[in-house]
Amino acid sequence: MAHSLPSLSRRALLAGAALEAQQTAETVRFDRKIRVGLVGLEGHTGEIIRPLPRLPEVEVVAISDPDQKAMASAARHPRLKAARQYLDYRQLLDREQLDVAAICGPNGGRAERILAAIERKIHVVAEKPLAIEMEELDRLEGALRRAGVRLTMLLPMRFSSPYLAIKLIVDSGEIGEVAQIAAQKSYKLGQRASWFLRRATYGGTIPWIGIHMVDLMRWTSGREMVEAVSYQTRFAVPDLGDMENVTATLFLLDNGGAGVLRLDYLRPQTAPTHGDDRLRLAGSKGVVEYQAATGVTVISETSKPRVIEKLPPEQSLFIDFLESVYHGKRPALSLADILRVNRIVLLARQSAEEHRIVKLS
C-alpha cells in the first residue's frame, strides 16, 4: 500500500481559489508588513493561506520543502507563486528576514525546525504536535522562555463554529458542572506518506490526531485531566508499519469525572466525508453534544431537546495569533494550553506503550 497524505499540494491547492472567493469577513490591518516563511508543505497549511485575502500586510515570502514536486505544485497557488523556494529550511531561515515561521511537514524533526526558528528570534505557527518526545517538548519550552518569541499551534477546531457554540453553552451554566466527556475522531486511512509508517517520524496516532480532541475536551468543559490509561493497536491493515489505526484513552478529570477519547482510521472510503468528529459533554444539569449528522444539540433541566441553529461565526487561528502578537490582544489559544495538551498526549501514548495508568503532571 502506497502512502501519501493529501496536503497543500492537493487538497488545499485545489480548493484555494474557491476558498478565497468565499472570503467575506472584514479585512484585518497591521501597521507594518509581516513576512511569513512556510517550512514544510504537509499539514494544516490552509490555516495560514486561507486568511491571506483578509490580511493585506501579510505575505508568504518564502517556502521550503525537500520535495521539489511539492514545491512546484505549491508555486501554482496564487498566494505562493511569488514566494522564494528553498529545499533546505535552514537556508530559508538564514536568508529571509522573517517575522513568522509556519512550521509544518512531517512530525519527526518538527521540534528541531521549531527550535531553529526560535533561536533566530522568529515567531512560530507550528503544526501539531510540537514534539513527539517529552525531551523535545522540554527543550522547546525552555527555548521559548529564553527567546521571548511567541508561538501558537495549529489546532483549528477550537475556532470552529460548533465547538465555539458548545463552549458558550457550557460557560452559560445550562448543563451545570461537566462530569463526563466523550470525544471521537474517525478518519479514512487513504494514502499515507511513508513517514506515517515509522514511530520515529510519526510519533503515534494519539499525539497526531488525539491532540485536537484533548484540547477541545479541556477547553469546552473547563475541566483538567489528571490521569490517563490508553490502548492502541494496528488492526486489519497488514502494512501499516508502526502506525496505529485504533486507540482509546480514559481520562480521570480533576472533579472525579471521566473523559473518553476514541480514535480510528477505520472510516470506510464510501463515507461522504473524510472524518467523523464527535464531542459530548454531560453535566449535572444537562448534556450538549455535536456530530455532523445532527449538529449541536442540547437537553437540560431548563429546556427540551433542541438543535442550536445559529452558531457563532467561524474564526481564524492565524489571525487570532497575529492580533495577539501585533495588536496586543489576548490569544484565544494560550501557550500554557498548547504546552499542556502536548504533554497530555505524550503521556497518554506512554500509557499505551507501557500498559499502565499515568499521572498527567
Side-chain angles (χ1 to χ4, degrees):
M1 176 172 56
H3 294 264
S4 61
L5 179 65
S7 61
L8 178 66
S9 58
R10 286 177 288 274
R11 183 188 304 162
L13 289 179
L14 289 173
L19 287 167
E20 290 197 12
Q22 294 169 9
Q23 286 286 352
T24 58
E26 64 184 48
T27 297
V28 179
R29 305 304 302 255
F30 298 93
D31 60 6
R32 50 164 293 177
K33 181 177 180 180
I34 299 172
R35 296 158 298 191
V36 178
L38 183 55
V39 176
L41 299 177
E42 288 187 274
H44 292 84
T45 51
E47 297 301 319
I48 309 300
I49 297 167
R50 281 195 297 271
L52 292 178
R54 298 176 55 194
L55 302 168
E57 285 77 42
V58 180
E59 179 185 0
V60 177
V61 298
I63 62 176
S64 173
D65 196 281
D67 185 339
Q68 290 181 313
K69 289 183 178 180
M71 286 216 290
S73 180
R76 295 196 291 270
H77 192 286
R79 294 285 166 176
L80 301 180
K81 63 183 180 181
R84 290 174 288 278
Q85 297 190 6
Y86 297 86
L87 292 173
D88 187 335
Y89 76 90
R90 297 172 190 85
Q91 291 183 356
L92 183 155
L93 295 177
D94 287 337
R95 295 178 184 178
E96 301 289 339
Q97 298 298 310
L98 298 182
D99 300 294
V100 177
I103 310 294
C104 295
N107 294 350
R110 182 174 302 129
E112 291 299 326
R113 298 191 293 275
I114 295 171
L115 280 168
I118 293 172
E119 289 166 357
R120 292 163 174 80
K121 309 293 184 182
I122 302 169
H123 300 303
V124 173
V125 179
E127 182 57 277
K128 47 72 193 173
L130 296 181
I132 59 175
E133 301 296 344
M134 197 66 76
E135 296 79 6
E136 295 175 332
L137 186 61
D138 290 340
R139 288 174 60 200
L140 284 174
E141 188 170 358
L144 284 166
R145 284 198 303 268
R146 293 189 297 272
V149 298
R150 302 286 290 279
L151 176 143
T152 194
M153 188 172 66
L154 293 175
L155 291 175
M157 294 180 73
R158 183 186 279 217
F159 297 80
S160 179
S161 296
Y163 304 108
L164 291 168
I166 289 176
K167 174 67 171 170
L168 288 172
I169 290 164
V170 174
D171 286 352
S172 75
E174 180 177 356
I175 70 164
E177 181 177 343
V178 174
Q180 187 186 73
I181 311 169
Q184 169 185 296
K185 269 189 168 293
S186 177
Y187 283 165
K188 296 178 181 178
L189 179 61
Q191 298 297 304
R192 297 280 148 180
S194 59
W195 61 266
F196 280 81
L197 308 184
R198 295 197 305 118
R199 167 70 162 71
T201 50
Y202 179 49
T205 294
I206 295 173
W208 170 237
I209 60 173
I211 196 168
H212 284 294
M213 280 302 180
V214 168
D215 178 60
L216 289 178
M217 292 165 80
R218 295 179 68 249
W219 176 65
T220 58
S221 70
R223 304 261 49 102
E224 186 55 272
M225 299 163 170
V226 296
E227 290 182 359
V229 59
S230 299
Y231 299 91
Q232 59 187 19
T233 191
R234 288 167 287 279
F235 182 79
V237 182
D239 53 352
L240 278 176
D242 297 334
M243 181 184 180
E244 310 90 9
N245 63 350
V246 174
T247 85
T249 302
L250 175 64
F251 294 104
L252 175 66
L253 306 181
D254 57 355
N255 63 352
V260 178
L261 172 61
R262 56 183 185 268
L263 311 169
D264 72 76
Y265 281 99
L266 300 177
R267 189 162 170 79
Q269 291 300 313
T270 53
T273 59
H274 174 65
D276 179 11
D277 299 335
R278 305 183 185 191
L279 182 64
R280 178 183 185 273
L281 288 80
S284 56
K285 298 179 181 179
V287 177
V288 60
E289 58 185 311
Y290 169 73
Q291 55 180 295
T294 56
V296 178
T297 59
V298 187
I299 182 171
S300 71
E301 293 178 351
T302 57
S303 77
K304 295 179 179 180
R306 69 188 193 277
V307 178
I308 305 300
E309 302 287 354
K310 188 174 181 180
L311 300 177
E314 203 87 2
Q315 298 178 13
S316 165
L317 181 151
F318 187 44
I319 292 176
D320 180 80
F321 177 66
L322 292 178
E323 291 201 292
S324 75
V325 174
Y326 297 104
H327 289 166
K329 291 187 176 180
R330 182 178 180 179
L333 177 60
S334 71
L335 179 61
D337 277 349
I338 291 167
L339 294 172
R340 178 63 179 158
V341 294
N342 274 270
R343 198 165 296 277
I344 287 172
V345 293
L346 293 180
L347 288 168
R349 182 195 64 189
Q350 178 183 335
S351 168
E353 292 176 339
E354 298 181 358
H355 304 284
R356 65 182 181 90
I357 297 173
V358 296
K359 301 286 187 182
L360 301 177
S361 56

